[in-house]
Structures are given as structure tokens and as C-alpha cells.
Amino acid sequence: MQAVSADFGIKDALKQLGLKDINEGTSTGSNNFGSGELIASYSPTDGQLIGKVSTTTKDDYEKVIQAAQDAFLMFRAMPAPQRGEIVRQFGNKLRELKEPLGKLVSYEMGKSLQEGYGEVQEMIDICDFAVGLSRQLNGQTIPSERPGHVMREQWHSLGVVGIISAFNFPVAVWAWNTALAWVCGDTCIWKASEKAPLCAVACQNIIAEVLKDNNLPEGISCIINGDYKVGEFMTTDHRIPLISATGSTRMGRIVGAKVAERFGKSLLELGGNNAIIITPTADLKVVVPGAVFGAVGTCGQRCTSTRRLIIHESVYNKVRDAIVGAYKQLTIGNPLDEKNHIGPLIDKDAVNTYLAAIEKAKAEGGNVLVEGGVLEGEGYESGCYVKPAIIEAKNDFEIVQSETFAPILYLMKYSGDVEQAIAMQNGVAQGLSSAIMTNEMKEAEKFLSFAGSDCGIANVNIGTSGAEIGGAFGGEKETGGGRESGSDAWKIYMRRQTNTINYSDELPLAQGIKFDL
Ligand code: UN1
């Protein structure tokens, strides 16, 4: 670790974030009661041990939930704009620490430094959004059918929110949830991915300082560490009214069922299988960067990553050649070095999944246009660096139908009108993000209409990834149906109450029912 940290300032970043490095001991996060075994965090960039984090036992968990429940009782009584002030301070701390936190994200997770900074920016943006929201948690007044009556809708704080997040966005997805949950008056318990535990501890340290400065209990923000078993403490716990879970469809199926069994609410943000439709009028200047960033950004490990290009046959060769040409410009290497576009996959398991997917695509009849493979030699010692691959394939290949979290882009042709392309784009089990590249207004509007894309996100002349926080984020079908981040996604973090108030001297019943005594 020493050599790399000296090069890219990682050691300094760890210090600024209050993390101990391997020579100093174990990081726990200030509100983590973790007394279980240690998780070691290795960087996929250089294979070095970055630090260790202690895991949460069942007994520890009981202390955490107690702290979160106690904190909830005071936090929900605090006026929402004052809670917004806490989130404002948190956002400011993130502004101060954008560089070290972005570096840690890049080093622990492997995404390019630019994307690491982008992730922290996304946290700052959602904090700003939530601050404004803290004065807009408005209910409505509804006309009553009865004289001398009025109906009202109110939004009350929900309780303790459980957050389960994935390795690929190790800090931003937590912030999407917490920034909203906090202004709504909820307290949070976060189980981060065991593949990026130090990012979680760093975030906890930052919010802990803000809470301390404001004499607020740290139970407002808690972390628990460990594998899926630790997540299960939350999914089966009736004291947690909402579980927000981001990850694979496989995970979501289990979590969703467990939470539903106890009538909890769940917000699921699961797998995607995102396509860009490229029509005859598409502008290559827009198509190439949109498709390439979508496919190789975060080394193909975004849930919004572009997996399929559905290209009209009349422009197929031109588009194919332009994309294949652009792949030749890509540089792969240490993501902390800003000259590289692409860092490593998260670990060797992910490398094996990537290799198996390429083999499967070939076995199903795919035609490889850009060879994949694992990079070896100087700078690639971690064994996690792979080459982004492009394969001509058919939409109904089994491998094309499933999400592989890796930089593999499938190219396919359509020959008819845009409806045919839309049917192909919709012809998968997932429904997160989608895009069309066109200068034809009618095609764009058809794609966005009720008969168009069936995804939660449908874009025109931009790629499938890189959504802004202002819109609701999430998708349909096997993506799980949840919406987080912007728009009115805050409503799931609150409980809705309908009030009917009678200010008359009579008691008329609704629906005109007579009940005379
Ligand atoms: C994810 O991959 O889980 O739209 C989230 C995007 C990012 C968020 C991705 N803003 O690509």
C-alpha cells in the first residue's frame, strides 16, 4: 500500500477521513458497536490491503437498533427545516472532503478518479435537494363531500430506515437515501457492501462529526458491517418499517419477500439490462461518447451501464466502426491516474463472471468484434483489470438476457421501424434505463409514449447512465419498482395520514348513510 499511497495521496486521504491504515488497527466507525470478526478490504487497483473493519454481531445489532430507535423519538420532534440544516452542514463537510472521499471511492472500489469525485458530487447534490425539501414536505387539503368537514393529508416521520447498498456506488446511494430520510425525520441503519467497507466507515465519520457539533445523538446515523446475514437482521426486523435495498435481482427477490412477509415497505433498486436504440438520423458525435461511456464507465459495473446497442441496419456498419474505433482510444489502468479511462473490476470473482459471459456469448453464436481478456504485467498485478469487449449478438441469447456486471457490449441490428427496436429494447426481464438516439421527433416521442420504453428511465440523445439526482431513480419489472433520489421519492420515507375534520354541529355520515338514533 505504501508505494501507491505515496503516489496518489491515499494515505493522506485515509487520515483526513479518520480511517486507520493497516498498520494502525481496525476502523469501526464511531457509532459501530462491531465486535465480530474482521473484514479485510483489499483494493482492486493494486491488490493491497487498505484496512480492516469489524463486523456486527447479533448482540451488537441490538445496541444499534436501540440507538436508532431512541434517536428517532427525538429527531422526529425536531422541525423539518432544522433537520434540513443538519443535512446542509453534512453537504458542506462533503464539499470540504470531496477530494479524499472521491479518492477512497476510486481506490477501494476501482472506478476512475473522475467518477469517484462524481459520486461525491452526487452526494452533495442530493444534500442540497434535501435541504430545499425540508421546507416542502407538504400535504394537501382535500374537499370533503360532507358540509362543515374538511379533509387533510399529512406526512409523518416513518421510523428507522434500513439501507442495504452495493459496492459499485459505495457512497452516493447511501446519501440518496439518508439525505431524504433525515429531512423526513427518520433515522438510518446502513449495511454497506462488504466489498467497500471503508467507504462506509468514512461516511459515518463525516456525519458523526456533524451530529456531534449539533449535540445530536449518533443513532440518527448507524452502520452495521458484514455479509448478507447482517442484512438479514434488518430485513426480518419489524422495528424497521422501510428497507431500501440496491443490488442484484437475486438479492432483491430474497429481501423483498422477507420484508413483505412482515408487511414492511421495501424500496428495491435492482438489476438493469439497458439498451440504446440508434436510429438512422442519430448523430454520431452524440452516439459514440454516450454509448462508450455507458458501456465502460465504472468498468461496466453500474446498474445503468449500457449493455446493448440496437442499431438500424442502414447505419449499422458506420456506427459499429465508430464504436470499435473509439474502443481503441481507451486506456485501462490504475483509476487514480487520471490518464486512465477504466479501472479494474471489483474482484477476481467478477473477472471470472466476465470471462464466463464472453465464453457463453461465443457459444451461443456471438461474433466478437473487440476481444476481451484479463490484463497482465506491470500495473495489473491485482488480476482485476480486463479489456472491454464488443460482441455482435442476438437479443434472445440467454447471456444477453441476463445482466453481467462487466464491460461487455452487445451489438444487434433492427431493420424495420422504431417500434421494432422498442420491442427489442423492452424484450428483457429488467426495466431500469433506456435511451434512443434520433433527430426524428416522432421516433423520440414514440419511444417516450405509453407504448414506448417500459423502463423507469427513458432518455433521448444521451446514454443510459449518469442520471441526475433531481429525477426519481429506479425501474420496473425485475429492477424492482422502487424510486429513490429526486422528484417525490421522499414520500416512501414517510407515513401518509388522511384526516377528516368535522367543524359542524352535526354528524353526517359519508356516502349519505342514515343512522338515526
Ligand atoms: C447504480 O449503478 O446503482 O445514473 C446507480 C447513474 C448514477 C447512479 C447509478 N447516477 O449512472
Side-chain angles (χ1 to χ4, degrees), residues 122 168-169 176 246 269 302-304 465-467 473:
E122 210 163 319
N168 64 334
F169 273 79
W176 291 354
T246 304
E269 204 263 278
R302 291 190 186 211
C303 53
T304 52
S465 68
F473 184 92

Side-chain angles (χ1 to χ4, degrees), residues 358 360-369 391-394 397 410:
I358 293 178
K360 177 121 169 75
K362 284 187 196 164
E364 288 193 79
N367 175 39
V368 177
L369 294 176
I391 303 176
E392 288 179 311
K394 294 261 180 330
F397 285 3
Y410 300 112

Side-chain angles (χ1 to χ4, degrees), residues 470-490:
F473 184 92
E476 306 299 334
K477 303 194 292 187
E478 288 193 359
T479 303
R483 292 295 187 278
E484 46 195 352
S485 185
S487 184
D488 65 352
W490 61 271

